[in-house]
Amino acid sequence: REPYFFSYVRDQLIAEYGSNTVRSGGLRVYTTINPRLQRAAAKAIRDTLYLRNDPAAAIVSINPANGAIRAMTAVTPGRTGNQFNLVAQARRQPGSTFKTFVLAAAIEQGMNPDSTYYTSAPFHYQPDPYTPAWDVSTYDHSYSGTISVHSATLASDNTVYAQLTLDVGPENVADMAHRLGIQSALDVVPAMGLGADAISPLEEASAYSTLAARGIYSKPMAIRQVVLANGKVDTDAGWGQPDRHRAISDGVASIRIDVESRRT
C-alpha cells in the first residue's frame, strides 16, 4: 500500500460520491499508478535518505501527455503510519527550481536569454528607506561579472535572477506559475523568483509537466476508471479523460527547455 497516493485517490472519490458511499465500499477503482515506477520512486528515496534523522522526501511523476500520475510516494525517516500527504498537502519552499517560471515569464515578454546580459555580483535592493533591504548572494559567493541569462540559468545565479524577477515583475512571475500548474496562493514579492513561496511537490511536478508538454497544461489525474457498486462503469464523472488546455505558447516552452538543457 502507498498511503499517500491512496489518500489522494480517496479524497477525489469523496469529492465525487460523498464520504458515505466511499466508506461503505463497493467501488472498484482503477488508478493511473505504475507499480514499477512506484517501487522505483520509493527505493530512490530510501537508498538516499536512510538515516532516522534524514529529512522527509517526496517524489511524484506525471505523464506530460495526459496528466496521469505514474508515481507518488513519500518517506519520513524514522516514522511510519503518517497520514499527512507530503506530496499533495505539504508546502515547502521550492528554491531555485522556481527560477524556471521567472525564465518562462521573461521569454514570454520577448527576452532572448542568449543576448540579454546582467551583472553577477552581490545584489542590494531597497526601493525606499522605509522597507527592509533585500540582499542577495550566490550560494558559494562566487560571481561571474557580466553574464547572459542563458549562462546564469545554467549556473543558477541568484543575483541575476533577483534582478530578472524585478524586471519581469513578480506579478507576472506569479501569473506564469499559476498558468503552468501552481495552485497555491503566492506572496507576490521580489524574493518569489528565488523560490521563497511554499508550494507542494505535486504542484511543481504539474507545472514542469506543462513545460515538458510544450505549454499544454494537463490537470493531474489519478483515477482511470470507477466501477460502481451496481457493476456499471461510471462514465459521467469523467474519470480517465484528460483535462487539457494550452497555458503558454509552444515557442516559450521550447526556448525555456532549450536554455536549461544545453551545456556550453
Side-chain angles (χ1 to χ4, degrees), residues 61-145:
S61 174
I62 296 177
N63 183 349
N66 56 16
I69 298 173
R70 309 302 282 158
M72 176 189 280
T73 190
V75 173
T76 304
R79 302 176 69 182
T80 59
N82 185 7
Q83 296 301 307
F84 183 69
N85 192 330
L86 294 174
V87 183
Q89 296 175 323
R91 300 291 188 273
R92 300 290 186 272
Q93 290 182 334
S96 290
T97 59
F98 209 87
K99 292 173 183 171
T100 290
F101 310 140
V102 181
L103 179 62
I107 292 170
E108 187 174 64
Q109 292 182 8
M111 182 207 69
N112 184 330
D114 290 309
S115 61
T116 303
Y117 287 81
Y118 282 86
T119 299
S120 169
F123 181 66
H124 175 82
Y125 178 72
Q126 190 173 23
D128 62 69
Y130 304 103
T131 59
W134 184 40
D135 291 295
V136 183
S137 61
T138 59
Y139 179 78
D140 61 358
H141 299 284
S142 64
Y143 303 96
S144 305

Side-chain angles (χ1 to χ4, degrees), residues 181-242:
I182 302 301
Q183 303 296 321
S184 294
L186 299 172
D187 190 9
V188 183
V189 295
M192 72 180 307
L194 304 184
D197 284 301
I199 61 177
S200 74
L202 178 60
E203 290 176 276
E204 186 157 32
S206 175
Y208 270 76
S209 177
T210 301
L211 292 167
R214 302 288 180 176
I216 298 177
Y217 167 80
S218 295
K219 182 178 179 179
M221 176 173 58
I223 300 172
R224 291 188 293 110
Q225 186 182 81
V226 172
V227 180
L228 303 173
N230 61 11
K232 293 184 178 180
V233 175
D234 183 0
T235 58
D236 296 327
W239 304 123
Q241 299 177 19

